């Protein structure tokens, strides 16, 4: 970290306004070193250091100002919005209320989320008293027909290819297709309880709900996660009573927390209890689950070419990104609050490690950017220079992000939230380094007085 020499207001330092200004990083850094040497008589200000991921809180304070995503340039939602909407009941109430929030932030939505919100807004004009789930249920039958028409020939192709499988694999495949048919038609099926699956879904819910949550909500989520660790890995007659007891304990924590009305968590616990009791439950069809189950069946298949061929056919099933109808069916099985959260989550601001943690990227402010949650997940561990090759528009969008930071700095927002303005310089330096020179940002506006 460098000692900030950017603002006369920020550190009560006054520079000669006739000194040269430049956007060139190397020249700028040498000029700043000269300025700092000239300040030997001024009070020394310790630089702010960030030693862990938790210390991203300073940067998170800027989420409230609709920062543009460093990769897409699209303005982002503050994750704290979900907490506020949950507290005041908007997530569970009439759709018109949450849709009004979406309308006020419409510049933050893109892709299928934006299209679905537009569809729901039209439906809400007719039925303003209905919640999001009720509106989704109205349009679900139409989109179910559309999706089934797209899925049917793919399933038929799989059935034609199954005859190439050895007899023992055909039996497993037939069972999978029978269960799939029941899921597609909302028929109850028996699925054993899985601790691994429960923890996976719980973790996914936690990751969304904890982002921007208040301390009480975070504490409740931590307690729930801690309790879930007590669940035995396997399920058999000797573990069921203990598993039921732990699920009841998790439910008790949930009911006493700010998340008591959270539909996703309540539904997860209720369905899990039914599965432990060996009751049949309605499980919506999931493309991801189908591919996983198919892969497990074919795991030991000696004919690797046939396995690859069958997986390739199954992968043609439409995703929620490719098909609005697939997205709407995915939402139709969710409670109203989770529908709202799922539509918002891709647009949420999230801390991005410019150099991925898996590649040795440090948890420090200089290595942080801000990106939409969806694209943050998509980039994953791809090195920045490779990401820029694939997405050349990232260069101009990083500049857009930087320009917004500079605007906030000049508006006094950095000072208001005690954010070290050196972050702007460090962000630029890290981008240049990690992109191997493919991104060089213009910092000249930072030094306008």
């Amino acid at each position: 970290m460098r000692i900030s020499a950017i603002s006369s207001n920020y550190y009560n330092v006054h520079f000669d306004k006739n000194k040269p200004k430049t956007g060139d990083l190397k020249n700028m850094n040498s000029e700043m070193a000269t300025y700092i040497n000239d300040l030997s008589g001024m009070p020394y200000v310790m630089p702010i250091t960030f030693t862990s991921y938790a210390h991203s809180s300073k940067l998170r304070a800027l989420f409230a100002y609709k920062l543009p995503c460093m990769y897409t340039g699209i303005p982002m939602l503050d994750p704290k919005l979900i907490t506020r909407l949950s507290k005041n009941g908007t997530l569970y109430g009439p759709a018109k209320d949450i849709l009004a929030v979406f309308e006020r932030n419409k510049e933050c939505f893109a892709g299928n989320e934006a299209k679905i919100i537009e569809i729901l807004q039209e439906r809400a004009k007719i039925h303003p008293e209905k919640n999001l789930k009720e509106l989704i249920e109205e349009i679900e039958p139409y989109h179910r027909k559309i999706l089934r028409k797209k899925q049917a020939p793919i399933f038929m192709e799989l059935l034609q290819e199954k005859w190439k499988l050895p007899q023992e694999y055909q039996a497993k495949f037939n069972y999978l297709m029978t269960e799939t048919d029941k899921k597609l038609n909302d028929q109850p099926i028996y699925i054993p309880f899985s601790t691994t699956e429960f923890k996976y879904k719980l973790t996914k819910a936690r990751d969304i709900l904890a982002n921007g949550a208040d301390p009480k909500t975070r504490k409740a989520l931590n307690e729930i996660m801690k309790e879930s660790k007590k669940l035995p890995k396997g399920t058999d007659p000797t573990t069921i009573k203990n598993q039921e007891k732990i699920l009841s304990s998790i439910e008790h924590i949930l009911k006493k927390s700010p998340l008591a009305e959270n539909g996703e968590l309540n539904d997860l616990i209720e369905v899990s209890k039914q599965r432990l009791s060996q009751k049949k439950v309605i499980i919506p069809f999931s493309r991801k689950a189908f591919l996983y189950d198919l892969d497990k069946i074919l795991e030991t298949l000696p004919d690797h070419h046939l396995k690859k061929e069958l997986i390739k056919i199954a992968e043609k099933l439409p995703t929620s990104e490719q098909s609005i109808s697939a997205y709407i069916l995915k939402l139709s099985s969710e409670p109203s609050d989770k529908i709202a959260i799922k539509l918002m989550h891709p647009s949420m601001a999230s801390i991005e490690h410019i150099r991925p943690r898996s590649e040795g990227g440090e948890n420090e402010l200089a290595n942080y950017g801000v990106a939409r949650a969806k694209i943050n997940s998509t980039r994953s561990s791809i090195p920045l220079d490779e990401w820029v090759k694939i997405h050349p528009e990232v260069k101009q969008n990083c500049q857009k992000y930087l320009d917004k930071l500079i605007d906030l700095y000049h508006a006094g927002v950095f000072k208001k939230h005690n954010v070290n303005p050196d972050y702007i310089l460090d962000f630029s330096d890290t981008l240049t380094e990690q992109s191997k020179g493919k991104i060089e940002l213009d910092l000249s506006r930072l030094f306008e007085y």
Side-chain angles (χ1 to χ4, degrees):
M1 279 291 187
R2 34 166 95 78
I3 300 171
S4 181
I6 299 174
S7 168
S8 58
N9 290 328
Y10 199 89
Y11 291 125
N12 296 318
V13 175
H14 300 277
F15 298 130
D16 179 358
K17 292 184 181 180
N18 294 321
K19 283 187 182 287
K21 300 168 189 153
T22 176
D24 183 89
L25 277 172
K26 292 180 179 177
N27 291 339
M28 181 191 69
N29 288 340
S30 64
E31 287 167 13
M32 288 185 66
T34 302
Y35 297 163
I36 292 170
N37 288 334
D38 289 344
L39 298 174
S40 55
M42 300 299 294
Y44 176 78
V45 181
M46 285 295 293
I48 302 172
T49 57
F50 296 82
T51 56
S52 75
Y53 192 43
H55 291 147
S56 63
S57 58
K58 297 284 184 184
L59 185 54
R60 291 177 190 274
L62 303 182
F63 286 4
Y65 299 88
K66 289 187 179 177
L67 296 173
C69 172
M70 62 182 284
Y71 296 137
T72 67
I74 300 171
M76 296 175 286
L77 296 170
D78 185 350
K80 290 181 180 178
L81 177 64
I82 289 179
T83 304
R84 292 197 296 270
L85 294 174
S86 181
K87 274 187 174 181
N88 64 26
T90 304
L91 292 179
Y92 316 98
K96 62 181 178 62
D97 295 335
I98 185 65
L99 290 171
V101 176
F102 291 169
E103 180 63 25
R104 289 196 296 272
N105 297 280
K106 62 182 178 182
E107 71 275 22
C108 300
F109 295 97
N112 281 348
E113 286 80 23
K115 293 174 184 176
I116 291 173
I117 288 170
E118 189 176 338
I119 292 170
L120 291 173
Q121 285 172 331
E122 290 302 312
R123 298 302 303 174
K125 290 177 183 177
I126 303 170
H127 300 292
E129 76 288 351
K130 292 190 174 183
N131 62 31
L132 284 182
K133 183 171 180 64
E134 290 168 332
L135 293 184
I136 287 286
E137 286 173 342
E138 281 188 350
I139 60 176
E140 187 269 351
Y142 170 75
H143 287 279
R144 178 186 288 264
K145 287 180 182 178
I146 292 175
L147 183 60
R148 295 297 179 254
K149 283 182 180 179
K150 293 179 180 178
Q151 292 171 328
I154 299 168
F155 286 127
M156 186 59 68
E157 191 176 354
L158 283 170
L159 288 168
Q160 289 169 349
E161 292 295 314
K162 81 159 187 177
W163 300 111
K164 298 177 182 178
L165 290 167
Q167 195 64 40
E168 65 272 24
Y169 289 92
Q170 283 191 34
K172 294 176 183 178
F173 181 85
N174 286 337
Y175 179 79
L176 171 63
M177 295 307 294
T178 299
E179 295 298 289
T180 297
D181 185 65
K182 290 177 181 178
K183 290 179 181 180
L184 289 167
N185 292 288
D186 292 334
Q187 295 175 5
I189 58 175
Y190 168 66
I191 300 182
F193 173 76
S194 164
T195 293
T196 302
E197 181 187 346
F198 178 82
K199 288 182 179 179
Y200 170 75
K201 290 183 177 180
L202 192 61
T203 301
K204 281 187 71 176
R206 186 275 311 273
D207 290 346
I208 294 174
L209 294 169
N211 200 358
D214 58 50
K216 285 186 177 179
T217 300
R218 283 179 175 272
K219 182 181 178 183
L221 287 168
N222 287 337
E223 288 178 0
I224 288 171
M225 295 303 298
K226 184 178 179 181
E227 193 69 15
S228 72
K229 291 179 180 178
K230 299 177 183 178
L231 285 165
K233 288 184 179 179
T235 301
D236 58 51
T238 65
T239 65
I240 289 176
K241 283 189 177 180
N242 187 29
Q243 288 171 314
E244 287 176 337
K245 183 180 177 181
I246 293 167
L247 285 178
S248 295
S249 178
I250 291 172
E251 188 174 29
H252 179 72
I253 295 169
L254 179 64
K255 293 301 181 186
K256 287 194 165 187
S257 78
L259 295 165
E261 300 299 321
N262 183 274
E264 179 182 11
L265 294 177
N266 279 297
D267 282 0
L268 175 60
I269 293 170
E270 183 57 33
V271 170
S272 297
K273 287 164 70 177
Q274 289 176 5
R275 287 170 63 176
L276 267 178
S277 301
Q278 299 185 351
K279 294 179 181 177
K280 290 184 176 182
V281 293
I282 293 176
I283 303 290
F285 172 77
S286 162
R287 177 184 181 273
K288 186 183 291 184
F290 179 80
L291 286 169
Y292 175 82
D293 291 339
L294 180 61
D295 187 66
K296 291 294 287 183
I297 288 172
L298 304 176
E299 194 172 27
T300 58
L301 183 68
D303 189 340
H304 296 293
H305 177 74
L306 178 57
K307 175 183 176 180
K308 188 176 180 180
E309 186 180 343
L310 288 166
I311 294 294
K312 189 175 180 180
I313 293 169
E315 284 176 342
K316 291 192 287 187
L317 289 165
T319 68
S320 55
E321 285 191 24
Q322 298 165 339
S323 165
I324 288 181
S325 295
Y327 203 149
I328 287 174
L329 256 71
K330 189 175 181 179
L331 294 175
S332 67
S333 62
E334 306 290 359
S336 194
D337 58 319
K338 191 176 179 184
I339 292 172
I341 291 171
K342 279 201 166 185
L343 290 172
M344 288 189 288
H345 185 254
S347 306
M348 290 292 175
S350 65
I351 296 294
E352 166 73 321
H353 286 71
I354 301 171
R355 183 182 182 188
R357 280 179 287 179
S358 60
E359 299 297 319
E362 297 181 356
N363 290 323
E364 60 178 24
L365 199 61
N367 192 42
Y368 292 157
V370 181
R372 285 163 58 90
K374 186 174 184 178
I375 199 163
N376 192 340
S377 175
T378 302
R379 183 197 160 197
S380 187
S381 297
I382 299 174
L384 186 62
D385 60 311
E386 292 181 21
W387 186 255
V388 176
K389 283 182 188 176
I390 304 168
H391 305 280
E393 70 279 4
V394 166
K395 299 176 187 178
Q396 65 188 44
N397 291 327
C398 282
Q399 183 67 53
K400 189 182 289 188
Y401 171 72
L402 185 92
D403 289 342
K404 178 69 172 184
L405 293 177
I406 292 172
D407 288 341
L408 293 175
Y409 164 69
H410 284 307
V413 173
F414 272 56
K415 183 177 181 180
K416 177 182 176 182
H417 295 288
N418 195 28
V419 181
N420 192 327
D422 282 348
Y423 166 66
I424 299 173
L425 305 173
D426 291 334
F427 170 77
S428 179
D429 283 346
T430 306
L431 276 184
T432 301
E433 177 190 342
Q434 291 301 310
S435 68
K436 297 182 180 177
K438 291 182 176 67
I439 300 178
E440 289 194 13
L441 302 180
D442 178 8
L443 286 152
S444 56
R445 285 183 52 246
L446 183 61
F447 301 98
E448 293 175 359
Y449 297 98

